[in-house]
Amino acid sequence: MQLTDLTIHALHDKLIKRELSSMDLTEAFLARIEASNPQINAFITVCPEQARKAAAEADKLLAKECGERKFGLLTGIPLALKDIFVTEGVRTTCASKMLDNFIPPYDGTAVRKLKESGAVILGKLNMDEFAMGSSNENSAFGPVRNPWNLDCVPGGSSGGSAAAVAALQTVAALGTDTGGSIRQPASHCGVVGLKPTYGRVSRYGVIAYASSLDQVGPVTRDVEDAAILLGAVAGYDNADSTSVNASVPDYRKNLKKGVKGLRIGLPKEYFIDGLDAEVKQSIEAAIQTYRELGAEIVDVSLPHTPYAVACYYLIATAEASSNLARYDGVRYGKRVDDGKGLIDMYMQSRAAGFGDEVKRRIMLGTYALSSGYYDAYYLKAQKVRTLIRQDFLEAFTGVDVLLTPVAPTAAFKLSEKAEDPLQMYLSDIFTIPVNLAGTCAMSLPCGHSGAGLPIGLQLVGKPFGEETILQAAYAFEQATDWHKKAPSI
Ligand code: GLN
């Protein structure tokens, strides 16, 4: 077992026993990044100097106060951030040419909390431009490759986060999930990903894509680490008016509670024809494991599921077109100015700064919001969204969690879907409804395809039911060892 293989909780034990220093650990990860990043391309920016400085500080604290106080679990632990989190003094690109030299003057709330808990930030992770995509091919910094098979995509948009955790380049990472961007890449890379309930984690300092759907969450090697990292970033923040003022439980406390008597619902709309046979098999095996662990399996229905993808692509693009209006070449970001006037400068800057998928979405969203179409598209989509949310709330009157596949297939080949946006959009068919409903869900490894690619299982919880899905995930993890498998890169 190497240092870079370990989890947050295992490393924490070693750090407090002084078997290891944060500096050793940080150096081990920096070396690992240097060796494997040329192949994987998970990092856009590596911050060795800042990381060493934070590691030295953590070591000082550990040396001075060891034995006297209980250390935060993240003290001295190396982590990495999707490049959508603004970081003081560290370039934040959102994988776009638009922001390729943007150096933010402040840390977002989640980042600040991690730093305050003593974490060491290794760098910024690749992603689909402005978090739009499901394969990480929409990055201005080149695609990320799946550590399990370099010809395959890692999923997206937090592809760099999932690939870096799987390739042992960082202990864990933060990602964001608007329609599946934490869960789908976690599934494709064989790691754990959790999308918290909307409002659970502050979005302050997270570059906005679709503000009513965006949520921050952890990508980790195991369920316990997801509980730790979620606990570190969750909570009310008066800088984000949509963050919810509800107390944050100790997510680790009841992890081992087990699933005896837990009612798990299987939504029939998620077990459809397009579902790959190997994915189906893995999910069925997982259901059997839960049965054996004493859970009660119940059939449920989420009848509005077929409308979710269409509804999402109206709401997400509408919000994106509005959020991305700020990149006009004036205050920050790329500016192309031929001296032909203000309007020309706007147009040239946006034409040069945004990639094709981002432009496609801005156009779709602008159209959906334009007068005459608003009622037919945007307003209708909002109504459908309410129906989708009601489906979930209704299902949760009879069950504690829902169990579904994360994605219809395992990771696909690079460029396989790049020319077909609709096929790409359908990758998120099982994750999107959760964002529309605003509730929480996680992805955890539950199998491998014949080609040796990871397959993930999705557990969906009630609003603010993160504790319950973590418990259910933990029980599954203890009963299986899919999470222990690592790619041979
Ligand atoms: N793949 C979806 C999209 O392109 C979801 C992305 C996300 O969750 N950020 O919008």
Side-chain angles (χ1 to χ4, degrees):
M1 195 51 114
Q2 292 186 334
L3 284 185
T4 48
D5 293 348
L6 297 174
T7 56
I8 297 176
H9 52 95
L11 289 168
H12 173 73
D13 288 346
K14 290 192 179 298
L15 285 169
I16 54 168
K17 289 190 197 134
R18 314 273 287 275
E19 289 172 19
L20 148 87
S21 69
S22 173
M23 191 62 85
D24 294 341
L25 200 53
T26 302
E27 292 297 350
F29 280 107
L30 289 172
R32 180 88 198 151
I33 295 168
E34 201 176 300
S36 57
N37 208 49
Q39 281 169 293
I40 308 278
N41 198 28
F43 277 82
I44 292 178
T45 306
V46 187
C47 313
E49 269 167 49
Q50 288 97 326
R52 289 189 181 110
K53 194 161 160 260
E57 269 168 37
D59 282 334
K60 242 197 277 169
L61 201 72
L62 286 158
K64 197 168 82 200
E65 294 183 30
C66 225
E68 286 172 34
R69 55 166 264 193
K70 211 173 161 295
F71 286 97
L73 284 154
L74 294 180
T75 305
I77 302 287
L79 302 175
L81 307 166
K82 184 177 184 178
D83 209 13
I84 197 167
F85 292 93
V86 301
T87 41
E88 185 180 346
V90 174
R91 180 172 78 138
T92 299
T93 67
C94 229
S96 181
K97 276 194 230 149
M98 186 55 101
L99 293 174
D100 63 3
N101 54 16
F102 172 52
I103 301 193
Y106 71 105
D107 282 326
T109 301
V111 176
R112 177 178 56 74
K113 286 187 166 189
L114 291 183
K115 287 187 178 171
E116 284 170 4
S117 12
V120 172
I121 307 298
L122 294 166
K124 308 294 294 290
L125 297 160
N126 208 342
M127 53 183 285
D128 284 297
E129 183 178 4
F130 285 103
M132 298 174 186
S134 308
S135 68
N136 227 296
E137 291 165 296
N138 300 334
S139 165
F141 296 84
V144 176
R145 288 171 184 269
N146 191 314
W148 292 87
N149 179 339
L150 298 175
D151 295 332
C152 290
V153 303
S157 66
S158 313
S161 304
V165 175
L168 313 179
Q169 295 179 323
T170 177
V171 189
L174 281 188
T176 60
D177 189 313
T178 304
S181 275
I182 288 175
R183 291 160 286 157
Q184 185 254 19
S187 170
H188 286 350
C189 293
V191 295
V192 174
L194 191 155
K195 183 207 95 76
T197 307
Y198 186 75
R200 181 72 290 188
V201 182
S202 169
R203 293 180 296 108
Y204 180 65
V206 180
I207 295 174
Y209 161 20
S211 306
S212 76
L213 301 157
D214 300 340
Q215 248 312 272
V216 171
V219 180
T220 58
R221 294 206 211 302
D222 74 0
V223 174
E224 187 166 351
D225 278 5
I228 294 170
L229 206 45
L230 174 63
V233 296
Y236 175 67
D237 176 15
N238 64 13
D240 172 6
S241 62
T242 64
S243 76
V244 172
N245 200 350
S247 63
V248 179
D250 177 352
Y251 291 111
R252 249 175 122 210
K253 199 163 144 214
N254 295 318
L255 266 187
K256 304 188 174 142
K257 223 171 133 193
V259 292
K260 220 167 233 114
L262 191 82
R263 288 172 65 85
I264 300 182
L266 307 179
K268 70 168 196 269
E269 293 79 5
Y270 284 58
F271 295 86
I272 46 170
D273 283 349
L275 186 61
D276 173 84
E278 291 179 326
V279 174
K280 189 160 176 245
Q281 244 172 31
S282 296
I283 300 298
E284 279 167 357
I287 296 168
Q288 188 50 30
T289 303
Y290 273 113
R291 262 200 200 100
E292 285 159 16
L293 289 170
E296 196 183 327
I297 309 292
V298 186
D299 287 326
V300 297
S301 171
L302 300 169
H304 295 91
T305 302
Y307 308 106
V309 173
C311 172
Y312 171 86
Y313 276 96
L314 284 165
I315 293 174
T317 57
E319 292 181 10
S321 72
S322 159
N323 275 325
L324 272 60
R326 75 190 68 179
Y327 305 103
D328 57 5
V330 177
R331 279 174 302 168
Y332 46 76
K334 191 170 210 63
R335 176 188 298 211
V336 180
D337 189 354
D338 302 335
K340 293 187 195 140
L342 188 64
I343 300 294
D344 186 71
M345 191 275 283
Y346 288 158
M347 293 202 304
Q348 298 291 341
S349 301
R350 288 168 70 81
F354 292 135
D356 287 350
E357 183 62 27
V358 175
K359 287 179 184 156
R360 176 181 293 127
R361 300 212 185 177
I362 292 173
M363 288 190 277
L364 282 169
T366 306
Y367 180 82
L369 289 177
S370 53
S371 78
Y373 296 107
Y374 180 93
D375 286 2
Y377 294 119
Y378 186 70
L379 191 66
K380 186 67 145 270
Q382 291 290 18
K383 291 179 178 171
V384 173
R385 178 178 188 170
T386 301
L387 295 174
I388 290 171
R389 179 171 167 83
Q390 282 169 357
D391 281 357
F392 278 89
L393 297 181
E394 171 66 29
F396 282 127
T397 59
V399 297
D400 304 299
V401 303
L402 299 169
L403 187 161
T404 80
V406 179
T409 64
F412 44 90
K413 291 258 160 64
L414 276 141
S415 34
E416 192 178 313
K417 299 189 184 179
E419 298 307 317
D420 187 347
L422 204 56
Q423 272 310 311
M424 191 72 91
Y425 296 173
L426 290 172
S427 312
D428 301 318
I429 192 161
F430 303 136
T431 49
I432 276 174
V434 174
N435 301 73
L436 290 169
T439 194
C440 60
M442 63 189 292
S443 165
L444 62 154
C446 75
H448 275 186
S449 70
L453 291 165
I455 293 172
L457 161 75
Q458 176 168 245
L459 295 172
V460 185
K462 297 178 185 174
F464 296 94
E466 285 84 358
E467 253 192 304
T468 312
I469 52 172
L470 283 162
Q471 281 161 12
Y474 187 83
F476 181 80
E477 199 180 69
Q478 294 305 301
T480 58
D481 44 38
W482 296 109
H483 66 292
K484 292 191 189 136
K485 302 200 188 302
S488 56
I489 183 144

